[in-house]
Amino acid sequence: FALVDMALNKRFLFNERYTLTLRAEVFNLFNRTHFGIPVRLLEAPGFGRSVATSAPPRQIQFVLKFEF
């Protein structure tokens, strides 16, 4: 089970009182799929197949923070 998360920060200083911080975060950077346990019921239509994943898909979020 391998997940890679990454975050990038950039801070802008306007003067001694004001700063602007920009941040980008990526979870599951390479979007790897980790399949769950296969269906084990003989009567189920998906018998023997993995129909669920055990890790969430790639998520990206941006943060903009102004400090004064």
Side-chain angles (χ1 to χ4, degrees), residues 15-55:
N15 57 26
E16 293 180 6
R17 287 187 63 192
Y18 304 109
T19 61
L20 181 70
T21 304
L22 179 64
R23 181 177 173 94
E25 299 173 340
V26 181
F27 302 99
N28 195 3
L29 178 66
F30 301 116
N31 205 21
R32 293 186 59 174
T33 305
H34 299 281
F35 293 105
I37 298 172
V39 178
R40 297 176 295 224
L41 299 173
L42 286 173
E43 297 84 19
F47 175 72
R49 293 187 296 179
S50 293
V51 294
T53 58
S54 58

